Structure formats: C-alpha cells, structure tokens
Amino acid sequence: MNILVQKFGGTSVANFERMAEVCDIVEKYKNDGYSIVLVVSAMGRKGAPYATDTLLGLLSEVNKNANEREKDMLMSCGETISATLMASMLSARGINAVALTGGQAGICTEGDFSDSRIKEIDSKRIISELEAGKVVVVAGFQGVNENGDITTLGRGGSDTSAVALGKALECGKVEIYTDVDGVMTADPRVEPNARVMEEIDYEEVFQMADKGAKVIHPRAVQIAKDGNITLVIKNTLNPMYRGTEICCVNSDNGKIECSGKSERFAVAHKKGISQIKIIDNGDFGKILSEMEEENVSMDMINFFIGEKAFVVDDTDAEKIEKILKRNNVQYSIRKNCAKITLIGNSMSGIPGVMSKISKGLSDAEVPILQTSDSSMTISCLVDEQDMENAVHAIHEQFCV
Ligand code: ADP
Ligand code: MG
C-alpha cells in the first residue's frame, strides 16, 4: 500500500464548501493510487460554532472551574464532528470512507490532560480499514490514555496527530494543508511582503514554530525529524502549488537532507510576554525552584551579579508576581511585550547580523528591551505596540 497522510486544518474544513474542496483533493490522490489517511481539525477558527474555543465557552457557562478531564472530552468533540462529516461527505460522493476518533485510530497518550503527548500508536485498525479500500478520516488533536479517558494534544495538536500517524504507518511523506501557500518568511497576516519558502530544513522550521510561527506545531516537526518524514505544507485553496517541502530524500544515499544550502532567513513573532527584572541580593535558587513547582517557564534569561532579567508568558505574570512578593525581592514587571526572532540557517557564519537588526529597529524607532540568541536565532523583545513595525524592519533587512 502506498499510504499518504494528509492533514486539513480548521479553515480547510470550516464549512461544507471547504470540505467539498478537501474531497476533491482526496479524490485526486485516491485516483492516483494512494491509500489515504485524513486527519482533520475542528471546523473554523475562534467564534465558529464547533471550534475548540466555542466548545470551551459552553463549559464555562456551567462551571468556570470545570476539571481538565471534562474540558478535554468536550474539546475533542470539534474534531470528531469534522471527521464524521468529512467521512460522510466522501461516502456520499461514492468514495468509501470511515471516521475514527483518536482512540479508535489507536492513538495512545500519556495520562495528562490538555497538553498530552502521544505515547504509541497501534495502527491495526487503520491498516485494516485501508486494506478494505476505505479513506480513513481521523479526528486530530486527541488520543486516549491508559484509563480510557480522552486527552487532547495542545493547540495545533492535529499537526502532531498527522505526523505521528505518518510515522506509525511508515509513510515517507505527510502533507499539511492550511490557508497559506506554505511556510513563509514571516506571518503573512503581519508582513505583506512575506514570501513562500520552497524548502526549509527541520531545525529551521522547528525554531520558527517554537518562536511563534503558527503554521506548524513544533512537536510535529520534531516527530517528522525523528521519523525521517518529509513534511509538505500546502494550501487547500491552491492545491496545485507545490508549497513548502521540509526536507527531502536524497535519492543517491536515501538520506534525508535539504538540497539547497543557500542562505535562508525568516522572522517569527510571539506576543503576550512579560519582562521581569529582579534586583537580586539573596537566594535566587529558591525563586527558581518555586517557579518550577508552579510550572512557570522562563525564557530570554540574562543573569548578572545583582540583577536578573527574563521573560514569562503574560498568562503567568500573576503567578510570578506572587512568588516574587512572597520572597520579598525588589522587582519590576513590563507586561504586553512581544518577542521578534530572526531565524537563519547559517546565522553563526555571517558577520554583522546583530548590527543589521539593531540598525533596522533603530531606523523604525523601535526600542529593543532585551535580546537572546542561539546558533540559529536572534530574538529581540519589544513593546507589543511596536511588534508589527519590528517584524517589517527585520524582514526588510533580511528577507526581501
Ligand atoms: P490550521 O488551522 O490550518 O492549522 P493555523 O492557523 O494553525 O492553521 O496556521 C496557519 C496560519 O499560520 C496562517 O494563516 C498564518 O497566518 C500563520 N503563520 C504564522 N507564521 C507563518 C509563517 N512563517 N508562514 C506561514 N504562515 C504563518
Ligand atoms: Mg495549526
């Protein structure tokens, strides 16, 4: 069997018209001889009747503190609805199809709710349905834990479902369909000059995803890399366009590698960040362990004698303030910041990258609040109100 896993995101299954376009794509590949596993997200984005946030809203109407188990159970319904409708629409067209929940598809997860990891996949059921000639439509974003409870995989988790299924089914390639032409040099909603990147390697796209580019979930990239799976990001509305290939097989030695070695740069952004500065004369280790206990993760960490600076998500600001007050330290907090990251495949070899960033931001009159870097990335913290200007400025310097 030549199995192909294709994942369709929320906007790709937002209404019946969109779903019909998905059927067209599936039909084409089926006619080309592929055995198809479709992974679908919940219909539409925030505000749509069966979108994840809408479902969560229902729960908060009856209980503001509903437990995580019930939250997961309800959230998972969005994908189950999509899968059922997609399979039924395919069947109505004469394409034999079956809808499976994550659990029915054999996706076993770790025990945790809301951001669960996939532990293993038992692909027997999927294989037997494929052997019976059916298109298998799997509800993304969900699995089932040892207790038989439904657990969800975190926002963007359908990407992870698709890639993990691809790995379990030993597919060489997984296609992720979304509402843009591929991985672009920046989020096209923020940067009008963003370009599609035809090719990019796992590590670069992982860094982009990790630094806020929503186009693919970082955990999905990680699984693809470990499983040597080529990921292709394509546009449901423009399926003939080749999209972005995240690594390809070198036919000479069978090894996965990106063919192009040319310089590639992209810009990612993430808002909703708080910068914390602490005048520290005491036992900072105690604060760190309290943060760990309360699951507050920090980033952009700069430690100096007498002063510590780092950032946390705005949603953790309250928690961290409580910890700092409890420990009687002097601190300042700057909420509503954004992190802009330049990602480059050959950053460390190129001189003057930081000076170009600094010039771009200074010309755009954007103050840099803090920086951090790695061999592939340079991040600048700015005020959220400067975020768009900062993206334009850095994109202009490196990506056009
Ligand atoms: P889906 O529901 O299909 O999973 P997402 O909203 O999760 O779609 O991801 C697609 C969105 O990611 C695009 O609409 C785009 O605004 C955003 N995005 C952010 N950064 C990038 C980038 N570098 N390239 C492409 N899209 C990006
Ligand atoms: Mg997504």
Side-chain angles (χ1 to χ4, degrees):
M1 268 192 301
N2 201 0
I3 305 174
L4 177 65
V5 178
Q6 298 181 309
K7 178 251 167 179
F8 291 86
T11 48
S12 306
V13 295
N15 52 44
F16 298 144
E17 203 187 331
R18 287 283 107 81
M19 285 187 177
E21 283 152 2
V22 173
C23 289
D24 292 341
I25 295 172
V26 172
E27 191 164 17
K28 181 191 163 294
Y29 280 91
K30 183 123 179 81
N31 290 340
D32 286 348
Y34 285 101
S35 298
I36 296 182
V37 177
L38 278 192
V39 176
V40 288
S41 299
M43 293 169 74
R45 292 219 171 101
K46 205 171 179 170
Y50 308 111
T52 311
D53 289 302
T54 315
L55 298 174
L56 277 179
L58 279 179
L59 201 53
S60 67
E61 301 253 334
V62 296
N63 183 346
K64 293 256 176 294
N65 300 310
N67 68 42
E68 298 289 312
R69 181 185 175 278
E70 271 68 33
K71 268 193 199 165
D72 269 21
M73 199 161 158
L74 185 64
M75 273 199 286
S76 73
C77 295
E79 279 68 16
T80 306
I81 293 171
S82 295
T84 317
L85 292 175
M86 271 310 310
S88 304
M89 193 182 260
L90 285 163
S91 301
R93 283 199 181 197
I95 302 167
N96 209 353
V98 58
L100 300 178
T101 62
Q104 289 167 341
I107 300 179
C108 306
T109 56
E110 310 277 342
D112 302 347
F113 294 107
S114 87
D115 194 20
S116 198
R117 309 271 168 136
I118 296 178
K119 200 159 75 181
E120 59 192 359
I121 296 182
D122 176 354
S123 51
K124 272 200 303 286
R125 174 77 186 267
I126 296 185
I127 301 270
S128 75
E129 300 287 5
L130 290 174
E131 279 171 352
K134 293 181 198 168
V135 171
V136 179
V137 189
V138 180
F141 177 62
Q142 53 173 273
V144 64
N145 69 15
E146 280 176 356
N147 302 328
D149 287 330
I150 295 172
T151 56
T152 62
L153 306 176
R155 292 302 166 100
S158 293
D159 295 338
T160 311
S161 310
V163 180
L165 284 170
K167 189 175 170 194
L169 296 164
E170 297 176 357
C171 302
K173 184 163 93 172
V174 170
E175 294 185 336
I176 308 278
Y177 285 82
T178 183
D179 61 349
V180 286
D181 273 337
V183 177
M184 305 182 72
T185 49
D187 185 343
R189 277 188 245 191
V190 172
E191 176 50 61
N193 294 325
R195 290 180 289 108
V196 177
M197 304 172 85
E198 286 196 345
E199 191 184 73
I200 181 166
D201 73 32
Y202 294 118
E203 194 51 38
E204 290 164 79
V205 86
F206 177 83
Q207 289 299 338
M208 288 174 73
D210 189 53
K211 303 293 183 290
K214 219 179 128 197
V215 65
I216 178 111
H217 195 290
R219 213 173 282 155
V221 179
Q222 196 61 50
I223 298 171
K225 184 178 175 188
D226 295 345
N228 277 358
I229 294 166
T230 301
L231 278 181
V232 186
I233 315 287
K234 290 181 70 113
N235 191 345
T236 312
L237 292 174
N238 189 11
M240 298 312 284
Y241 187 74
R242 68 188 291 252
T244 301
E245 186 144 308
I246 304 172
C247 281
C248 41
V249 180
N250 178 332
S251 50
D252 294 339
N253 57 16
K255 258 179 69 185
I256 304 278
E257 57 183 39
C258 243
S259 59
K261 289 275 176 266
S262 58
E263 262 178 41
R264 283 187 298 265
F265 285 105
V267 184
H269 67 273
K270 194 174 188 177
K271 56 184 179 179
I273 292 175
S274 292
Q275 183 192 38
I276 320 281
K277 284 184 180 169
I278 299 175
I279 306 296
D280 164 44
N281 301 307
D283 182 6
F284 195 64
K286 181 161 175 285
I287 294 176
L288 288 179
S289 51
E290 287 183 27
M291 283 174 70
E292 191 185 342
E293 265 163 41
E294 301 213 16
N295 237 337
V296 179
S297 65
M298 49 179 185
D299 185 23
M300 302 189 85
I301 305 157
N302 292 143
F303 280 18
F304 308 100
I305 294 172
E307 191 187 20
K308 317 278 178 250
F310 57 88
V311 306
V312 298
D313 286 345
D314 279 343
T315 46
D316 282 335
E318 216 173 289
K319 269 195 210 164
I320 182 104
E321 282 202 86
K322 271 194 195 145
I323 295 173
L324 297 174
K325 283 195 180 123
R326 211 162 49 217
N327 282 279
N328 265 328
V329 286
Q330 230 184 307
Y331 70 93
S332 64
I333 178 161
R334 187 176 188 127
K335 293 184 185 164
N336 302 319
C337 298
K339 185 168 92 167
I340 319 294
T341 304
L342 176 72
I343 297 105
N345 63 334
S346 49
M347 191 89 93
S348 51
I350 304 174
V353 175
M354 189 61 214
S355 106
K356 259 170 98 177
I357 292 179
S358 155
K359 180 176 182 320
L361 291 180
S362 140
D363 289 351
E365 298 180 8
V366 174
I368 302 175
L369 307 174
Q370 199 176 326
T371 63
S372 64
D373 65 82
S374 72
S375 63
M376 264 196 158
T377 62
I378 295 184
S379 300
C380 296
L381 191 72
V382 302
D383 277 324
E384 210 165 279
Q385 64 190 26
D386 291 329
M387 184 185 83
E388 296 207 1
N389 284 340
V391 171
H392 300 324
I394 297 179
H395 193 266
E396 174 79 22
Q397 290 283 334
F398 292 91
C399 306
V400 289

